Amino acid sequence: MAFATPHSTYIPLPSDSGGKHPDHAAHLSLVPIHIVTHASQLPPEFLNPSREKQLVVGFDCEGVDLCRHGTLCVMQLAFPDAIYLVDAVQGGNMLIKACKPALESSYITKVIHDCKRDSEALYFQFGIKLHNVVDTQIAYYLIEEQRGQKRLPDDYISFVGLLADPRYCGISYVEKKEVRTLLREDPNFWTYRPLSELMVRAAADDVRFLPYIYHKMMERLNERSLWHLAVRGALYCRCFCFTDNEYADWPSVPSIPGKLIAEGNAPEEEILSVVNVPPGKMGCVIGRKGSSILSIKESCNAEILIGGAKGPPDKVFIIGPVKQVRKAEAILRGRMLGNAF
């Protein structure tokens, strides 16, 4: 590992990539990686967002059991010319809170693959309301829908799968499996310091191509899909961040573009609904081997999410067009009344 400065290092692409990645992606493999323990090591235009210097950054978080109760250890930021690994373990609350204006800013686009748990951790651990997110998992399926492909319930493109798609990167990311194995063996993997070469490389590889993928996806999305992407990104960020104020302090959800309304092509409003499940009734909602919740997903054109082991254990989250969300709510309530099977 060659150090350019005391807090930066150059990491090559995994050797198995076979040189199949685009030339621009090859350049991205050579950008410096800075380990950040103090806010002064971050770019000023990130710390002080402005309309004049709008940014697109790749974004991800690593930690121990990331959710409201877990521990955020590293926050990754990918810029065109550098990657910053924000060390929450050594930098502490002060460092992450210095990033709050950027993470909540409309002037900085955060490109992330599946934002839900990262947003939850930031909200409950640091009071940060993640905003202006482009979720590449959502974007992938919107592009597929434009191509006439129907998505099946619980069919989620993984980050490894997205990287492998030749339309976006065409890179094999087998090293991700090694890190997952290490995490299973030792859930505290991301707490150890100093960061090992593997940790630095794995954290950087999770974000380095996200801005590139973002631009490839933006080329393919029509105006209607772009609105869906913005709305669903906002709703996914809120999803597991439920509190008693019902998101009253969160930024407003993007409204339907006037152009689509004028053209008579306006999509239906999309919302997030949180359904409370009485004690002992979650089994009725899920059903034997997940059969009940799967049937609800198949009958409604809405995203239905359950907190699972990370929680919250007593709520079901529904995201989608208003009519489909209301339909899902009605079916769920029927299940909870005991008509599950």
Side-chain angles (χ1 to χ4, degrees):
M1 186 188 308
F3 289 91
T5 73
H7 292 288
S8 75
T9 179
Y10 293 88
I11 301 289
L13 276 175
S15 59
D16 73 310
S17 60
K20 296 179 181 178
H21 46 71
D23 291 341
H24 184 64
H27 164 73
L28 292 175
S29 70
L30 301 175
V31 298
I33 301 168
H34 303 282
I35 299 172
V36 175
T37 56
H38 190 274
S40 62
Q41 296 167 302
L42 287 165
E45 61 268 29
F46 177 77
L47 293 173
N48 302 289
S50 69
R51 184 186 297 272
E52 292 70 34
K53 292 187 178 180
Q54 299 193 30
L55 304 173
V56 174
V57 298
F59 180 77
D60 192 25
C61 297
E62 308 292 353
V64 181
D65 198 25
L66 263 189
C67 62
R68 69 183 63 196
H69 305 300
T71 303
L72 192 153
C73 298
V74 180
M75 190 172 72
Q76 305 106 287
L77 304 167
F79 290 75
D81 57 352
I83 294 170
Y84 295 84
L85 305 184
V86 182
D87 189 345
V89 173
Q90 293 196 323
N93 275 24
M94 188 176 294
L95 174 58
I96 302 301
K97 289 195 173 181
C99 300
K100 178 181 170 77
L103 298 180
E104 295 186 344
S105 174
S106 298
Y107 304 135
I108 299 181
T109 300
K110 280 69 66 173
V111 186
I112 183 171
H113 192 81
D114 191 4
C115 64
K116 296 186 293 294
R117 292 298 183 185
D118 300 67
S119 179
E120 180 185 17
L122 288 167
Y123 182 65
F124 285 105
Q125 294 176 40
F126 303 99
I128 294 171
K129 295 179 281 291
L130 190 60
H131 176 59
N132 195 22
V133 157
V134 167
D135 191 316
T136 53
Q137 191 174 70
I138 300 170
Y140 177 88
Y141 287 108
L142 287 169
I143 293 168
E144 293 302 290
E145 285 175 14
Q146 286 182 186
R147 297 174 61 235
Q149 302 297 313
K150 185 173 175 60
R151 182 185 160 204
L152 298 173
D154 296 332
D155 177 22
Y156 298 101
I157 182 76
S158 69
F159 183 58
V160 173
L162 179 64
L163 280 180
D165 191 319
R167 292 174 296 171
Y168 305 115
C169 249
I171 291 174
S172 176
Y173 190 9
V174 293
E175 192 173 64
K176 185 78 171 175
K177 294 179 182 178
E178 180 184 353
V179 174
R180 283 177 178 158
T181 300
L182 291 170
L183 278 167
R184 280 194 296 270
E185 293 172 353
D186 184 359
N188 294 316
F189 175 80
W190 287 109
T191 65
Y192 302 125
R193 296 297 179 272
L195 292 166
S196 68
E197 181 175 343
L198 172 62
M199 294 165 82
V200 169
R201 188 167 61 245
D205 284 349
D206 274 355
V207 293
R208 73 166 77 239
F209 298 108
L210 283 171
Y212 177 75
I213 292 170
Y214 163 83
H215 290 294
K216 299 290 279 187
M217 287 181 155
M218 291 301 107
E219 294 171 359
R220 290 173 162 82
L221 289 162
N222 61 33
E223 187 168 3
R224 187 184 180 95
S225 292
L226 285 170
W227 176 79
H228 280 298
L229 178 61
V231 169
R232 291 176 192 173
L235 297 178
Y236 272 65
C237 279
R238 298 171 185 227
C239 181
F240 293 132
C241 299
F242 183 80
T243 61
D244 290 340
N245 70 8
E246 298 186 2
Y247 308 107
D249 55 344
W250 282 73
S252 58
V253 174
S255 57
I256 299 171
K259 182 181 177 182
L260 294 181
I261 296 173
E263 292 173 349
N265 188 34
E268 186 180 358
E269 179 189 1
E270 297 207 352
I271 60 171
L272 163 64
S273 173
V274 183
V275 177
N276 292 307
V277 180
K281 291 294 184 178
M282 188 59 83
C284 297
V285 169
I286 297 173
R288 296 188 184 95
K289 297 182 179 180
S291 59
S292 180
I293 195 70
L294 179 61
S295 70
I296 300 171
K297 291 176 180 180
E298 289 174 340
S299 62
C300 303
N301 185 25
E303 191 76 30
I304 301 173
L305 301 159
I306 294 173
K310 292 184 178 181
D314 59 346
K315 290 177 174 51
V316 176
F317 302 88
I318 313 168
I319 295 172
V322 176
K323 289 178 183 175
Q324 295 300 316
V325 169
R326 299 301 179 222
K327 180 180 178 182
E329 287 174 340
I331 299 173
L332 279 166
R333 293 194 174 101
R335 296 288 193 269
M336 290 186 288
L337 288 172
N339 303 323
F341 311 114

